Amino acid sequence: MRLEAGARLGPYQIVAPLGAGGMGEVFRARDSRLGRDVAIKILPERLADNEKALSRFEREARAVAALSHPNILAIHDFGQADGVVFAVTELLEGESLDRRLSREEIPWKKSLEIGAAVADGLASAHSRGIVHRDLKPANIFLTREGLVKILDFGLARQDSHVSEASVTAGPTAAAPETEPGTVLGTVGYMSPEQVRGETADGRSDIFSLGCVLYEMLTGRRAYKHRTQAETMAAILRDHPPELPESGRTILPGINGVVMRCLQKGPDERFQSARDLAFALREILGGSAVSAAAGPAAPRAKSHLGAWIAGAAAIVAVAAILLFASAGVRGRLLAPSRQIRSLAVLPLVNLSGDPQQDYFAEGMTDQIIANLARLRDLRVISQTTSMSYRGSRKRVPEIASELDVDVVVEGSVARIGDKIKVNAQLVQARTDKNIWSDAYERDVHDILGLQGEIAQAIARKISVELTPEDRARLEGGRRTDPEAYEAYIK
């Protein structure tokens, strides 16, 4: 059934279409009983007989109806008429945050105000046991009156013991009935626990809000790569560049708040959306106080003091270099210590099929074997490395336990006859990414791919390869996939 202007759904008269997505079309309508304009979201006709889609549509209505907060879209009604299932919400005038971002740069102060308002709305939802699980700019609406509204609780979960899933690359998607262990959300804004298919609580929404804040403040996404698999792998392993690196003016304190939201482990993030809202408003309040205070007195004096302090520091360094012994000078000016030990952590299986875990484990094992045969390099054994599978420990902690200089981590996905591998090298002490690359090869070339990755790592850590090493690692003979699988199984 196609709704045209003038059509009626019970007491509601359709005025005009407003938009459409995978889970429904939205129309402007007139409530004849109360004499007000509303928005009506209808389930697409193709899904009208789909019990799972109906269940999700009703779940969204119930989730929103349970909430009453100025930063959450209000729902007025839910029902059926002439075979059409619909939900009635307040009508919003304005635009979504993703449209605003595509059109213009948002000032940092406005970005924090939007983030604090969203955090307020999430705090209300979380207090009622509701987790959004699909927070992104497309689901945040900025009204003409300056209000911020959270939309689309279609993926919301109220039972904290249930884990659901459906990966979407676009604004919305029709999710099937879901089971524990699957992946839910929009790629690029999902938390690490969502990527792993684990149960997500309110701290998962905080990670997603951190992604939104990052995008507003820098003009680019925290996690965006060529493919969904690469983006999901980056969420699990990478930290986005610090905010000041974007080139925009970032007030002190903002970077720390956003980066805390984006920590891999839920325990390392803000533990409540209310705390995050408070932190954002503390920065806003502090900036207002600084502006109101005006310029500091004797500015010239402070400049002179800074100049003197800088000059003194230069003189001190010069004196040290001039009078220190040759040995001391050598240590002061020497490059960072050479890398002599590493650990390869279990590659994450991103194929979407748990039955492919053995494939990821086999890749990990072969990379370890290739590296372990290089001279002057201590490589942690496969048995020890595999003990960290699924571990939530940070790289510095793992490196300290294993006493290694660097850690290799990454992901692998087998899709048909293609293998996609993402690998990165992380410095143990600083947790900084010092090398990363993405590979895509035919499954017949898997041995050559393993050797190529090992060579790239060896070059990065300045391990000298003998002619025998090169011949072995470059010996990328084509492999029978069935024979290879039988071998690693």
Side-chain angles (χ1 to χ4, degrees), residues 199-466:
T199 299
D201 59 23
R203 294 170 297 179
S204 175
D205 285 345
I206 290 173
F207 183 95
S208 300
L209 180 50
C211 292
V212 174
L213 283 164
Y214 189 97
E215 189 170 347
M216 286 193 289
L217 291 162
T218 67
R220 61 173 182 256
R221 291 190 184 183
Y223 298 101
K224 185 179 181 181
H225 294 267
R226 290 178 301 170
T227 66
Q228 292 185 19
E230 290 173 354
T231 301
M232 293 167 73
I235 290 172
L236 291 175
R237 69 167 191 251
D238 296 344
H239 293 283
E242 302 285 315
L243 296 180
E245 296 178 29
S246 68
R248 293 187 180 181
T249 300
I250 304 295
L251 201 69
I254 296 178
N255 186 69
V257 169
V258 175
M259 290 303 172
R260 184 175 175 187
C261 293
L262 295 176
Q263 290 299 308
K264 304 302 181 188
D267 291 340
E268 298 172 330
R269 301 174 203 147
F270 287 94
Q271 296 303 290
S272 75
R274 201 172 305 281
D275 288 345
L276 172 56
F278 179 82
L280 293 172
R281 290 196 172 96
E282 278 284 285
I283 296 173
L284 286 167
S287 69
V289 170
S290 298
R299 187 177 277 189
K301 183 176 180 180
S302 67
H303 282 310
L304 178 60
W307 185 90
I308 292 173
I314 293 172
V315 171
V317 172
I320 291 173
L321 294 179
L322 181 62
F323 295 107
S325 67
V328 173
R329 284 203 304 272
R331 288 194 295 273
L332 284 170
L333 301 177
S336 56
R337 67 186 184 121
Q338 197 168 4
I339 294 170
R340 290 302 183 193
S341 58
L342 65 75
V344 181
L345 297 184
L347 298 180
V348 178
N349 169 27
L350 290 183
S351 66
D353 180 8
Q355 298 298 318
Q356 291 290 319
D357 283 349
Y358 77 92
F359 194 84
E361 186 171 338
M363 283 288 292
T364 306
D365 185 32
Q366 292 302 309
I367 292 173
I368 291 174
N370 283 332
L371 291 170
R373 295 176 66 179
L374 301 180
R375 294 184 305 168
D376 301 323
L377 182 65
R378 181 173 65 88
V379 180
I380 300 301
S381 71
Q382 189 256 9
T383 302
T384 301
S385 291
M386 281 300 169
S387 68
Y388 288 93
R389 181 176 178 177
S391 173
R392 295 188 180 183
K393 293 181 178 179
R394 292 171 58 87
V395 166
E397 185 179 356
I398 295 175
S400 176
E401 292 177 0
L402 299 177
D403 189 25
V404 294
D405 301 321
V406 291
V407 170
V408 179
E409 57 181 359
S411 64
V412 59
R414 180 177 178 181
I415 306 171
D417 291 333
K418 294 293 182 182
I419 304 169
K420 295 183 178 182
V421 177
N422 289 281
Q424 72 169 354
L425 199 61
V426 183
Q427 193 172 52
R429 293 176 293 106
T430 62
D431 199 18
K432 292 293 184 182
N433 185 335
I434 57 178
W435 168 84
S436 65
D437 208 344
Y439 303 83
E440 183 172 343
R441 299 289 186 274
D442 185 273
V443 68
H444 295 85
D445 298 325
I446 188 167
L447 294 182
L449 172 59
Q450 294 164 355
E452 186 178 346
I453 293 172
Q455 283 192 84
I457 294 171
R459 284 194 298 269
K460 189 62 186 177
I461 61 178
S462 301
V463 170
E464 184 177 350
L465 297 177
T466 65

Side-chain angles (χ1 to χ4, degrees), residues 34-284:
L34 299 177
R36 64 179 175 181
D37 286 344
V38 295
I40 289 186
K41 182 177 181 180
I42 70 167
L43 195 66
E45 189 174 1
R46 61 184 171 81
L47 298 177
D49 296 325
N50 185 318
E51 290 186 7
K52 294 178 181 178
L54 282 169
S55 174
R56 175 179 162 184
F57 194 74
E58 184 176 359
R59 183 172 68 246
E60 177 183 3
R62 289 182 180 276
V64 178
L67 306 172
S68 178
H69 192 275
N71 297 120
I72 297 177
L73 178 74
I75 187 167
H76 300 318
D77 197 5
F78 179 84
Q80 269 184 295
D82 300 324
V84 177
V85 182
F86 62 89
V88 183
T89 70
E90 63 178 316
L91 180 67
L92 301 178
E93 303 281 358
E95 64 181 346
S96 60
L97 178 57
D98 64 331
R99 289 193 177 183
R100 175 73 63 85
L101 285 167
S102 68
R103 194 182 74 249
E104 64 185 27
E105 180 179 320
I106 300 178
W108 70 264
K109 186 175 182 180
K110 182 64 176 177
S111 298
L112 297 196
E113 290 171 348
I114 292 172
V118 173
D120 286 341
L122 290 176
S124 177
H126 296 167
S127 69
R128 291 164 175 78
I130 296 174
V131 182
H132 192 288
R133 298 194 298 175
D134 195 23
L135 193 69
K136 55 191 175 185
N139 284 339
I140 298 172
F141 198 89
L142 310 177
T143 73
R144 291 177 181 172
E145 295 78 19
L147 297 176
V148 179
K149 297 278 187 176
I150 304 174
L151 313 180
D152 198 356
F153 276 76
L155 299 185
R157 174 181 57 78
Q158 195 159 14
D159 180 358
S160 62
H161 299 292
V162 178
S163 176
E164 301 181 322
S166 171
V167 176
T168 71
T172 62
E177 197 69 21
T178 53
E179 298 177 357
T182 47
V183 183
L184 180 148
T186 298
V187 173
Y189 300 95
M190 291 187 295
S191 65
E193 53 267 35
Q194 285 178 291
V195 172
R196 290 190 293 264
E198 299 171 352
T199 299
D201 59 23
R203 294 170 297 179
S204 175
D205 285 345
I206 290 173
F207 183 95
S208 300
L209 180 50
C211 292
V212 174
L213 283 164
Y214 189 97
E215 189 170 347
M216 286 193 289
L217 291 162
T218 67
R220 61 173 182 256
R221 291 190 184 183
Y223 298 101
K224 185 179 181 181
H225 294 267
R226 290 178 301 170
T227 66
Q228 292 185 19
E230 290 173 354
T231 301
M232 293 167 73
I235 290 172
L236 291 175
R237 69 167 191 251
D238 296 344
H239 293 283
E242 302 285 315
L243 296 180
E245 296 178 29
S246 68
R248 293 187 180 181
T249 300
I250 304 295
L251 201 69
I254 296 178
N255 186 69
V257 169
V258 175
M259 290 303 172
R260 184 175 175 187
C261 293
L262 295 176
Q263 290 299 308
K264 304 302 181 188
D267 291 340
E268 298 172 330
R269 301 174 203 147
F270 287 94
Q271 296 303 290
S272 75
R274 201 172 305 281
D275 288 345
L276 172 56
F278 179 82
L280 293 172
R281 290 196 172 96
E282 278 284 285
I283 296 173
L284 286 167

